[in-house]
């Protein structure tokens, strides 16, 4: 879909304080494979996101999800399910995402 439209239409979703990736692991991998310099991101307060589990025997908590994100010891594939509040539509040209990020200028007084 991304390549067909030559646009990124579904931003990845991250938690706002720890910047943990909540949704979009495959999209992030695709962005890396495409060599994109940046990707669109929705940032959420975790309190506004419903946390569910795809696995009946695992009941993750928000604290566990963030701790696992920090440590790199993620839950197995398709364990957590996040339900996000409504988000605005987003379409960003892949060309804009391939552009190198301009270096920041130092402020000299």
């Amino acid at each position: 879909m991304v390549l067909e439209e030559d646009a990124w239409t579904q931003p990845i979703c991250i938690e706002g304080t720890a910047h943990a990736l909540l949704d979009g692991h495959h999209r992030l991998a695709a962005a890396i494979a495409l060599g994109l310099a940046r990707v669109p991101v929705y940032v959420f307060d975790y309190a506004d996101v419903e946390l569910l589990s795809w696995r009946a025997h695992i009941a993750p908590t928000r604290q566990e999800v963030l701790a696992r994100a920090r440590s790199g010891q993620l839950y197995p594939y398709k364990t957590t399910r996040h339900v996000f509040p409504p988000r605005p539509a987003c379409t960003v040209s892949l060309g804009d995402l391939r552009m190198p990020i301009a270096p920041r200028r130092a402020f000299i007084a």
Side-chain angles (χ1 to χ4, degrees):
M1 181 187 300
V2 170
L3 294 176
E4 290 171 6
E5 296 181 26
D6 195 38
W8 196 277
T9 59
Q10 185 63 44
I12 63 174
C13 299
I14 66 169
E15 187 277 334
T17 56
H19 299 138
L21 180 59
L22 302 177
D23 184 54
H25 295 80
H26 292 108
R27 281 172 271 152
L28 182 57
I32 292 167
L34 290 170
L36 300 181
R38 50 191 164 198
V39 296
V41 173
Y42 288 127
V43 180
F44 291 93
D45 180 330
Y46 214 169
D48 297 333
V49 178
E50 186 177 1
L51 173 59
L52 305 169
S53 178
W54 292 105
R55 300 168 188 252
H57 63 284
I58 298 176
T61 66
R62 287 174 176 79
Q63 292 78 18
E64 290 170 341
V65 170
L66 296 179
R68 283 175 171 266
R70 286 185 196 103
S71 72
Q73 296 180 334
L74 304 179
Y75 281 108
Y77 176 71
K78 289 292 184 187
T79 297
T80 60
R81 177 173 178 239
H82 293 94
V83 180
F84 300 95
R87 305 173 296 261
C90 172
T91 301
V92 181
S93 159
L94 290 183
D96 290 342
L97 300 175
R98 287 187 185 105
M99 293 174 41
I101 299 170
R104 295 180 185 218
R105 295 185 201 179
F107 178 77
I108 301 173

